[in-house]
Amino acid sequence: MTTLHDKGGSALPPLPEDWERCLAVASHPDDIEYGAASAVARWTAQGKQVTYLLVTRGEAGIDGLHPDEAGPLREAEERAGAREVGVGTVEFLDGHRDGMIEEGPALRRDIVRAIRRHRPEVVVTGAYTVRMIAGVVNQADHRVVGLATLDAARDAGNRWIFPELAEEGLEPWGGVRFVAVAGTDRPTHGVDITGEPLERGIASLAAHAEYTKGLGAGAFEPRPFLTWAARLGGPALGVEAAVLFDVHQLAFDGPPPWEQ
């Protein structure tokens, strides 16, 4: 029986889409838009429910703008970008500083709380490795949030981890089938975003106009960058354009191997 980690030869398999609810967790506004949003556009067009959870408001992201001004601006841009790909629910955590996110139970509890509330079957997050695609060094917040999200996806089903959440009326949720990690240099699966999904993903990143303008001359232009990245990933899936993910399976797809 084919599992999530079977490659099916040299090409990567498509990410399974037999699910209804997804929670995408990121450190900052614009993190999801650098690729994964195009996959989100495909999924929402299929009628799937996707919710965004942002750990910070990206308040430290614009050098020429004080955090008190940058935070609300970037929150607004994130909500606008989410609408471009069919996402209506965008939540922001409190108590975590942009650039200073701390690994530990407080962060994991906040993510578990969101998972128990939204009860996703799939969780999407960003790479937690030191290197990302093409060997680019990953940012500290990304590493912390990606790993915390992977752990939280499993912890959400254990009533004895963060039992105080049950007092909030949030019963355990062990229904996360897998966590899909974007931006990894070792993908296992892909999502075909040829055509409309890529166009909507480009529009989603373009909604972060003030942020990208604040990056100066080194900023990525949405269309050429996302088109290049999608076409780079396409051949791995045998399509024109794709977003690639490293999929971590939390539940067996069918009977466990020893029962097959």
Side-chain angles (χ1 to χ4, degrees):
M1 176 178 290
T2 300
T3 70
L4 289 176
H5 294 289
D6 290 332
K7 296 289 195 299
S10 59
L12 298 181
L15 186 146
E17 295 181 331
D18 57 338
W19 47 269
E20 297 299 327
R21 297 183 307 280
C22 170
L23 177 68
V25 184
S27 306
H28 321 104
D30 90 311
D31 287 352
I32 299 170
E33 284 70 28
Y34 277 100
S38 294
V40 170
R42 172 186 169 98
W43 297 332
T44 59
Q46 295 171 347
K48 302 184 190 304
Q49 177 185 319
V50 181
T51 299
Y52 284 0
L53 178 70
L54 283 298
V55 175
T56 77
R57 288 167 172 78
E59 65 274 8
I62 302 177
D63 183 68
L65 201 61
H66 191 278
D68 290 347
E69 299 177 78
L73 183 152
R74 298 199 66 197
E75 178 178 342
E77 289 190 332
E78 179 62 21
R79 294 188 188 281
R83 287 193 295 271
E84 294 286 351
V85 292
V87 175
T89 302
V90 181
E91 299 179 351
F92 292 83
L93 295 178
D94 293 318
H96 304 280
R97 291 177 55 198
D98 181 12
M100 301 290 289
I101 300 175
E102 295 184 2
E103 180 180 2
L107 172 62
R108 199 152 37 102
R109 182 191 299 110
D110 282 346
I111 300 172
V112 167
R113 180 182 286 111
I115 292 172
R116 289 192 181 186
R117 187 170 65 252
H118 294 290
R119 302 170 79 83
E121 299 154 82
V122 172
V123 171
V124 170
T125 193
Y128 50 83
T129 51
V130 174
R131 288 187 175 89
M132 298 177 66
I133 296 173
V136 175
V137 175
N138 203 358
Q139 198 258 5
D141 284 353
H142 299 165
R143 301 198 305 267
V144 170
V145 170
L147 188 56
T149 300
L150 180 61
D151 291 337
R154 172 163 287 161
D155 292 346
N158 189 329
R159 72 173 59 254
W160 305 120
I161 299 177
F162 310 123
E164 62 271 25
L165 295 180
E167 299 175 6
E168 300 177 15
L170 298 173
E171 289 298 312
W173 172 247
V176 178
R177 288 171 49 195
F178 58 86
V179 177
V181 179
T184 177
D185 62 347
R186 295 185 178 183
T188 62
H189 292 70
V191 176
D192 184 356
I193 58 167
T194 304
E196 185 65 19
L198 176 57
E199 288 299 315
R200 294 176 68 192
I202 291 169
S204 185
L205 181 55
H208 294 264
E210 290 301 317
Y211 171 67
T212 53
K213 184 172 67 176
L215 294 177
F220 293 118
E221 287 293 329
R223 180 169 296 279
F225 172 74
L226 290 180
T227 300
W228 167 79
R231 289 178 177 171
L232 188 67
L237 197 62
V239 299
E240 180 181 328
V243 175
L244 306 183
F245 294 89
D246 182 11
V247 173
H248 296 259
Q249 187 170 321
L250 300 187
F252 290 111
D253 185 13
W258 57 87
E259 294 181 2
Q260 296 178 29

